Amino acid sequence: GPGWGDADGAWRTIRAREALVWFADPPAVAALLRVDVEATGPSASMLRLHLNGMELDAVPVPPRGSGTRAVVVPPGALAADNLLRLEQPAEGTVAVASIGLSGMPAYPDEEGIHPARPEHAAHLLTGWSAPETDGSAFRWTDGHEARVVFALGDPGRYRVLRVRLGAFLDRGLDAQRVRVTFESGMVASLQ
């Protein structure tokens, strides 16, 4: 659609305040939208994602850095024909390498999601460091927020959420504070 600049290798800049992408035949139920973005200017930027008129997310893009942002598409937001609008500030300089829409990964089994396992990488949206190279059974979070996503076969059924955590205590820290939220509601605050 309109708003796109010339391609530079794998990247294409957004040359106007907004760029449009049309697509049809999305996944039938729950979906994830993944966008690989990069700020091409000297300052940080913000990229707002709108799907069929609904704002999905505001994606911070660090200066001279790239990353993948994954957004859960709310139920009912997809149609047979869809318009994705990527909006940047007037002074923004953002480039996009890829945009992908996929079905929500199903919850694996009663063992749960293990961030260190390569087969569970589809469940990790944002805020995760690279896997440890020593084969560790854990994976660090990276930044102020880490997101995990999964689809449940029977979402109306009561469930027990168990999260096994360990804190990195450095520079004189006695504890780390963690808030666990589920579907935008706080479940626990831990220290």
Side-chain angles (χ1 to χ4, degrees), residues 25-170:
D25 301 324
V29 188
L32 286 175
L33 176 70
R34 292 184 191 270
V35 182
D36 291 324
V37 294
E38 172 181 74
T40 57
S43 60
S45 191
M46 184 68 68
L47 183 65
R48 295 188 180 283
L49 303 173
H50 302 263
L51 178 62
N52 298 329
M54 175 189 297
E55 184 167 349
L56 296 179
D57 203 5
V59 179
V61 184
R64 304 273 183 220
S66 63
T68 300
R69 182 66 178 201
V71 180
V72 176
V73 177
L78 292 168
D81 291 309
N82 298 276
L83 175 64
L84 176 65
R85 184 167 54 98
L86 296 88
E87 178 187 346
Q88 66 180 351
E91 69 281 355
T93 53
V94 175
V96 177
S98 68
I99 299 169
L101 187 69
S102 62
M104 183 77 67
Y107 191 78
D109 56 31
E110 65 278 349
E111 284 188 36
I113 297 168
H114 297 267
R117 292 184 183 170
E119 65 270 23
H120 291 182
H123 296 283
L124 309 180
L125 291 188
T126 58
W128 295 93
S129 68
E132 295 294 311
T133 57
D134 64 0
S136 297
F138 65 88
R139 189 164 179 174
W140 294 104
T141 59
D142 186 16
H144 295 288
E145 177 183 82
R147 292 182 181 186
V148 176
V149 67
F150 53 89
L152 296 173
D154 180 5
R157 200 170 120 213
Y158 285 102
R159 310 265 189 209
V160 173
L161 176 66
R162 265 188 318 198
V163 181
R164 211 170 97 201
L165 305 168
F168 179 69
L169 301 176
D170 191 26

